[in-house]
Amino acid sequence: MWSPKLSLISTVATKSLLWVAVTMAATLGPGSSWAQPAAQLNLPHVKLGAGLYVIDAQVASTPEQRQTGLMLRKEMPQHEGMLFVFEQASVQCFWMKNTPLPLTAAFVADDGTIVNTADMKPETTESHCSAKPVRYVLEMNQGWFAKKGIRTGSRLTGPLFEAPR
């Protein structure tokens, strides 16, 4: 049975819920999801070589995985990193929004040669770009490459960098 009192309560509740939804959508911004993003911890891994060192790299190969990257990670073991794999070589630019770890990005050519590196400060939107088109970017804890003597011109090894047979 219809009641003016219940109708009024229903209208107020509906308007309140609508206001909350609109406010949250405006706060999140376009393209955002309602769910709180989480750190990516379960991506596939690949073993890479860098001189005498072995890197256990998570592989971010989809647009969603690459977009999230190492966001929200508070720590990462020294021998681990994240390898971003793109479909085709182009100038790749990275930033550190929502990333509390200081990282170094190595921009890597198809044959595994490091084109250039960039130290990136946490929680910034400053772009760090490859010096030329690349398909791979390897992020490691900041200073890892320098401590190991791995620099521009050094070559990474692993299944992704082997010539097709």
Side-chain angles (χ1 to χ4, degrees):
M1 174 168 216
W2 181 82
S3 156
K5 186 175 183 180
L6 286 178
S7 180
L8 177 61
I9 291 171
S10 176
T11 301
V12 169
T14 300
K15 286 183 179 180
S16 294
L17 285 174
L18 182 59
W19 179 84
V20 168
V22 168
T23 301
M24 288 187 72
T27 301
L28 291 172
S32 298
S33 77
W34 289 86
Q36 175 67 27
Q40 297 186 103
L41 301 172
N42 297 316
L43 295 177
H45 286 245
V46 65
K47 297 281 186 202
L48 302 175
L52 301 172
Y53 306 98
V54 175
I55 300 166
D56 182 17
Q58 287 184 294
V59 179
S61 58
T62 69
E64 295 80 17
Q65 292 168 345
R66 291 189 302 255
Q67 182 177 346
T68 302
L70 288 168
M71 282 183 182
L72 306 175
R73 291 276 299 265
K74 292 182 173 70
E75 58 185 26
M76 184 169 60
Q78 286 300 308
H79 69 285
E80 290 185 12
M82 183 170 284
L83 181 67
F84 296 81
V85 180
F86 295 88
E87 290 78 18
Q88 58 188 341
S90 64
V91 172
Q92 307 296 343
C93 294
F94 279 59
W95 61 353
M96 297 285 287
K97 183 177 180 181
N98 298 324
T99 307
L101 288 174
L103 300 170
T104 300
F107 299 95
V108 184
D110 283 356
D111 68 354
T113 302
I114 297 175
V115 172
N116 64 297
T117 61
D119 287 339
M120 302 184 296
K121 293 180 185 173
E123 305 287 350
T124 63
T125 56
E126 179 184 349
S127 285
H128 304 276
C129 301
S130 59
K132 66 180 191 178
V134 297
R135 286 188 47 216
Y136 305 102
V137 180
L138 176 62
E139 288 183 341
M140 298 290 290
N141 285 303
Q142 192 169 94
W144 187 90
F145 293 103
K147 288 176 193 167
K148 308 294 187 204
I150 309 297
R151 58 185 59 86
T152 298
S154 295
R155 193 159 176 189
L156 301 179
T157 59
L160 296 171
F161 308 122
E162 294 173 2
R165 298 173 191 220

